[in-house]
């Protein structure tokens, strides 16, 4: 694709050095497991936009240029097929932005989805709001009269299209606002994996003189050729079927000058009111912990936009440059997508006293919330960018594990099924040791606590949990060298005894425990477990050796697995294993 003028001026130089990437799914509005809108097409107008589960959550973008209507986002059924798209001429992905450029009818349109996913700023990260930024310029040196139009169907606020919804319109300060939500509002009423949110409200907002309207999909089809919004009927609940759902729309008129660029923006937000259930208590999203309301969210975001644009551009440049230095342009491209995906798989909430709680969700697995072996692979990113977010993930697991409800001598697997963090549901849960993951999760927790202490320079986070983590270390000392038949996070290998990679995890878990003990002043425990980890690491190569590599399981010659757990030996400076092992692998 050629790089147009608007696109070239706005794209940071360092971000352009990333290798081109063609994502299987491109993030558009990605905040948490429920507020998560993607396109799974190369061109933004080639398919309806979708939730990460692939269920349609259509956002439609149309533009009227001197009376001619063209399409730039989404493909609503039938009627949109008659509306030709503008040509998509450029695409770029950065850690906080997804950028498209379009051309046609004498104008260029740059559309930026700006999600201020600044991991180091929890106040901003917690906001469930994405800006849609529109930059327009004339390509024929003539003025143009333009109307920008964006709508969202009720699919974005329901689990299934049969659920009935309603809109309402508001003026909030200098903003025109319209919201959409279900009539029933069954908050936190069920859990599962392949589910979408069906409570709370989706918002579109833009500075006046924008105009808004609610309608049905059938009415929307009737205005597609003009983009003239229908007369508002805000007190009516329209009849709805699977095919004729509610739609909310926002339109902005723009006079594009013959030279130079002109900009407009709108905001897309979701207020879920209550985010999660935490041991039978509904808890608020983090941004709402001090009684903030949607009006505060929208007006604050509008006021902060200029500063956030600058901050996001600087962050994108810095992180991209670091990633290129670390692994090259292709690594930077993949890691950028991973950054967006990882943050979108988490929800930042607040306990009753305002304490931050950060919950992951297993996607297309068991739908578990707060899964330890999901926290573990994401931990390096949070350790690098904001260790407080890792604390907020580990704290609920630790509090649960030291409660009377968790009776096993090893770490739990999960805290429940999203969005209900009411206790482990995987395997035997709290009832039996069936299909537990004792070495995996205990090793994960000790390694992450060690890493947190290493990067913070102290182990105070672990101090209140010392008795608990000592119990886990004792378990690994007894069971970790040659693990019994059990599952590891490598689910594809199934249940497996004598797992060599799991053994590495246990050994590094003991080394990490020694590191924490040393920082907390438990010198004897630190020395004891350091010696134990060293002796186990000395035995491991001979037990796992299979000639030119090391086995998947100690008793299975001719097998192999990636020993990725070794990375922590280097990161934490434990130096328990001979570096030649990693080189040989």
């Amino acid at each position: 694709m050629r790089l147009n003028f608007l696109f070239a001026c706005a794209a940071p130089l360092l971000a352009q050095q990333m290798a081109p990437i063609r994502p299987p799914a491109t993030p558009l509005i990605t905040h948490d497991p429920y507020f998560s809108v993607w396109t799974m097409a190369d061109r933004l107008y080639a398919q309806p936009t979708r939730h990460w589960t692939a269920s349609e959550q259509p956002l439609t973008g149309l533009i009227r240029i001197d009376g001619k209507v063209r399409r730039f986002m989404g493909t609503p059924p039938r009627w949109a097929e008659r509306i030709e798209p503008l040509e998509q001429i450029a695409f770029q992905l950065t850690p906080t932005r997804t950028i498209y450029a379009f051309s046609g009818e004498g104008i260029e349109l740059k559309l930026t989805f700006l999600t201020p996913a600044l991991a180091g700023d929890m106040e901003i990260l917690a906001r469930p709001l994405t800006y849609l930024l529109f930059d327009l310029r004339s390509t024929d040196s003539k003025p143009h009269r333009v109307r920008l139009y964006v709508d969202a169907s009720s699919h974005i606020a329901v689990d299934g299209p049969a659920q009935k919804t309603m809109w309402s319109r508001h003026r909030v300060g200098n903003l025109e606002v319209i919201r959409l939500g279900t009539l029933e509002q069954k908050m936190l009423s069920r859990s599962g994996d392949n589910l979408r949110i069906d409570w709370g409200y989706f918002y579109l907002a833009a500075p006046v003189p924008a105009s808004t309207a609610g309608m049905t999909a059938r009415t929307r089809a009737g205005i597609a050729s003009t983009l003239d919004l229908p007369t508002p009927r805000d007190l009516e609940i329209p009849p709805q079927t699977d095919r004729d759902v509610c739609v909310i729309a926002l339109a902005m008129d723009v006079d594009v000058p013959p030279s130079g660029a002109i900009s407009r923006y709108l905001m897309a937000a979701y207020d879920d009111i209550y985010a999660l259930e935490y041991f039978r208590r509904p808890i608020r999203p983090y941004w709402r912990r001090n009684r903030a309301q949607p009006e505060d969210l929208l007006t604050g975001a509008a006021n902060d936009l200029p500063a956030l644009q600058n901050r996001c551009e600087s962050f994108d440049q810095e992180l991209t440059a670091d990633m290129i230095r670390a692994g090259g342009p292709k690594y930077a491209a993949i890691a950028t997508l991973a950054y967006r995906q990882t943050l979108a798989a988490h929800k930042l909430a607040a306990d009753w006293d305002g304490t931050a709680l950060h919950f992951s969700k297993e996607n297309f697995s068991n739908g578990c919330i707060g899964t330890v072996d999901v926290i573990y692979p994401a931990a390096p990113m949070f350790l690098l960018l904001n260790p407080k977010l890792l604390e907020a993930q580990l704290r609920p697991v630790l509090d649960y594990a030291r409660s009377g409800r968790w009776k096993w001598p090893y770490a739990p697997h999960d805290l429940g099924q999203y969005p209900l963090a009411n206790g482990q549901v995987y395997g035997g849960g709290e009832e039996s040791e069936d299909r537990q993951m004792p070495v995996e999760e205990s090793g994960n927790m000790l390694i992450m606590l060690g890493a947190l202490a290493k990067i913070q320079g102290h182990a105070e986070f672990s101090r209140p949990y010392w008795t608990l983590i000592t119990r886990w270390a004792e378990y690994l000392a007894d069971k970790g060298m040659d693990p019994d038949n059990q599952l590891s996070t490598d689910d594809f290998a199934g249940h497996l005894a004598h797992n060599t990679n799991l053994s590495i995890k246990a050994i590094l878990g003991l080394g990490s425990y020694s590191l924490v003990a040393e920082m907390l002043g438990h010198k004897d425990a630190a020395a004891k477990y350091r010696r134990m980890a060293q002796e186990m690491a000395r035995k491991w190569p001979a037990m796992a050796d299979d000639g030119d590599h090391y086995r998947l399981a100690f008793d299975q010659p001719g097998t192999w697995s990636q020993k990725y757990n070794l990375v922590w030996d280097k990161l934490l400076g434990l130096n328990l294993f001979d570096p030649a092992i990693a080189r040989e692998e």
Side-chain angles (χ1 to χ4, degrees):
M1 293 183 179
R2 66 182 185 273
L3 195 68
N4 70 320
F5 172 78
L6 279 172
F7 198 77
C9 288
L13 180 61
L14 285 171
Q16 290 182 33
Q17 296 176 8
M18 286 194 303
I21 189 168
R22 179 174 174 262
T26 299
L28 302 178
I29 301 174
T30 49
H31 292 273
D32 59 52
Y34 280 147
F35 192 29
S36 188
V37 184
W38 306 68
T39 179
M40 298 174 187
D42 294 339
R43 298 182 181 276
L44 188 57
Y45 45 72
Q47 291 183 16
T49 57
R50 300 174 185 271
H51 186 252
W52 68 261
T53 58
S55 292
E56 291 185 9
Q57 290 190 334
L59 299 174
T60 304
L62 304 173
I63 183 169
R64 188 179 68 201
I65 307 165
D66 302 324
K68 295 181 181 179
V69 176
R70 294 291 181 260
R71 177 165 46 91
F72 59 85
M73 177 169 60
T75 55
R78 295 192 180 91
W79 60 267
E81 296 175 1
R82 303 190 303 269
I83 300 175
E84 294 181 9
L86 294 176
E87 180 189 3
Q88 183 176 308
I89 58 174
F91 163 76
Q92 185 184 20
L93 187 69
T94 79
T96 64
R97 291 170 291 163
T98 302
I99 308 169
Y100 293 91
F102 306 90
S103 180
E105 303 296 338
I107 66 115
E108 283 186 353
L109 164 67
K110 181 166 75 77
L111 169 61
T112 302
F113 293 86
L114 172 63
T115 300
L118 301 171
D121 188 335
M122 289 166 59
E123 296 292 339
I124 299 300
L125 179 66
R127 287 178 177 173
L129 183 144
T130 289
Y131 303 91
L132 277 68
L133 311 176
F134 302 89
D135 295 291
L136 298 125
R137 78 173 185 98
S138 173
T139 58
D140 58 9
S141 301
K142 298 178 181 178
H144 296 279
R145 182 69 172 159
V146 168
R147 166 162 281 205
L148 292 165
Y149 169 99
V150 172
D151 71 37
S153 83
S154 62
H155 293 64
I156 203 165
V158 300
D159 179 50
Q163 292 176 278
K164 295 188 181 300
T165 57
M166 187 53 187
W167 66 78
S168 59
R169 302 187 310 137
H170 314 269
R171 172 71 68 86
V172 178
N174 192 42
L175 299 172
E176 289 289 353
V177 179
I178 188 167
R179 74 174 190 176
L180 179 69
T182 56
L183 294 176
E184 290 187 307
Q185 290 292 307
K186 292 185 176 180
M187 204 165 297
L188 297 167
S189 62
R190 58 184 174 154
S191 65
D193 192 9
N194 191 2
L195 291 177
R196 281 117 332 247
I197 195 168
D198 57 2
W199 73 88
Y201 297 93
F202 173 75
Y203 287 80
L204 290 176
V208 293
S211 52
T212 60
M215 64 193 97
T216 66
R218 185 173 299 172
T219 303
R220 194 242 326 249
I223 67 164
S225 61
T226 64
L227 302 188
D228 293 330
L229 299 187
T231 302
R233 292 183 171 84
D234 295 339
L235 299 181
E236 296 181 12
I237 298 177
Q240 297 170 63
T241 66
D242 289 2
R243 295 183 178 181
D244 195 20
V245 299
C246 282
V247 174
I248 58 171
L250 188 149
M252 299 177 286
D253 292 322
V254 187
D255 289 319
V256 179
S259 63
I262 189 167
S263 302
R264 294 289 186 269
Y265 77 93
L266 65 83
M267 298 176 288
Y270 205 105
D271 174 24
D272 49 13
I273 306 171
Y274 282 99
L276 304 160
E277 190 170 279
Y278 184 49
F279 294 101
R280 307 298 174 185
R281 293 183 287 112
I283 59 173
R284 298 285 191 184
Y286 190 77
W287 70 271
R288 259 185 173 269
R289 71 193 185 285
N290 295 322
R291 300 186 180 183
Q293 297 297 315
E295 294 79 8
D296 304 311
L297 173 69
L298 295 170
T299 55
N303 292 335
D304 291 346
L305 176 57
L308 283 176
Q309 285 182 279
N310 292 332
R311 287 181 62 189
C312 288
E313 287 183 12
S314 297
F315 176 77
D316 287 348
Q317 292 187 56
E318 181 181 0
L319 183 58
T320 300
D322 286 347
M323 294 188 296
I324 290 171
R325 280 193 294 267
K330 290 183 179 180
Y331 169 79
I334 294 172
T336 294
L337 188 60
Y339 179 81
R340 301 284 291 272
Q341 292 173 334
T342 301
L343 290 177
H346 290 78
K347 180 68 175 181
L348 188 55
D351 206 350
W352 61 272
D353 60 355
T355 300
L357 302 173
H358 199 211
F359 294 94
S360 62
K361 179 188 182 297
E362 286 192 47
N363 291 349
F364 280 147
S365 180
N366 194 48
C368 289
I369 184 171
T371 302
V372 174
D373 56 289
V374 171
I375 300 172
Y376 173 75
M381 190 183 95
F382 294 112
L383 285 163
L384 173 68
L385 296 171
N386 189 352
K388 290 293 183 184
L389 288 172
L390 183 59
E391 285 187 3
Q393 293 172 56
L394 298 180
R395 184 178 290 110
V397 178
L398 291 161
D399 287 341
Y400 173 53
R402 72 173 177 178
S403 74
R405 291 181 53 177
W406 186 253
K407 52 194 175 187
W408 316 118
Y410 44 78
H413 168 272
D414 64 79
L415 297 175
Q417 190 179 55
Y418 199 92
L420 309 180
N422 292 326
Q424 180 169 316
V425 295
Y426 183 78
E430 298 174 355
E431 302 303 319
S432 78
E433 296 191 78
D434 177 49
R435 292 187 299 126
Q436 299 281 7
M437 297 170 63
V439 173
E440 172 73 43
E441 309 304 19
S442 300
N444 288 339
M445 289 299 294
L446 293 180
I447 289 170
M448 288 189 287
L449 290 170
L452 197 58
K454 181 81 171 181
I455 205 162
Q456 292 181 324
H458 61 82
E460 291 307 307
F461 180 77
S462 294
R463 189 180 293 279
Y465 305 104
W466 178 248
T467 300
L468 173 67
I469 65 177
T470 298
R471 186 188 315 147
W472 293 343
E474 291 170 347
Y475 183 87
L476 292 181
D478 183 39
K479 303 287 189 181
M481 182 70 229
D482 189 6
D484 296 333
N485 187 45
Q486 59 193 271
L487 197 64
S488 75
T489 198
D490 296 338
D491 306 63
F492 50 82
H495 282 71
L496 187 68
H498 318 297
N499 186 324
T500 60
N501 196 33
L502 206 52
S503 177
I504 292 172
K505 180 167 289 184
I507 296 167
L508 294 175
L510 294 175
S512 299
Y513 172 82
S514 173
L515 187 155
V516 172
E518 181 73 26
M519 288 186 173
L520 291 177
H522 301 292
K523 305 295 184 182
D524 291 344
K528 173 186 174 181
Y529 281 89
R530 173 73 183 175
R531 287 193 302 270
M532 192 180 301
Q534 287 173 328
E535 178 61 20
M536 293 166 72
R538 185 188 65 78
K539 293 178 180 178
W540 187 93
M543 294 173 62
D545 184 53
D546 204 34
D548 62 351
H549 67 279
Y550 296 90
R551 299 173 181 176
L552 165 67
F554 291 127
D555 63 340
Q556 293 186 19
T559 61
W560 180 81
S561 67
Q562 178 65 267
K563 312 304 188 297
Y564 54 82
N565 289 311
L566 282 170
V567 71
W568 292 102
D569 197 32
K570 182 175 181 178
L571 289 177
L572 302 185
L574 298 174
N575 301 316
L576 293 170
F577 289 88
D578 185 342
I581 295 172
R583 288 196 297 269
E584 187 166 313
E585 286 288 278

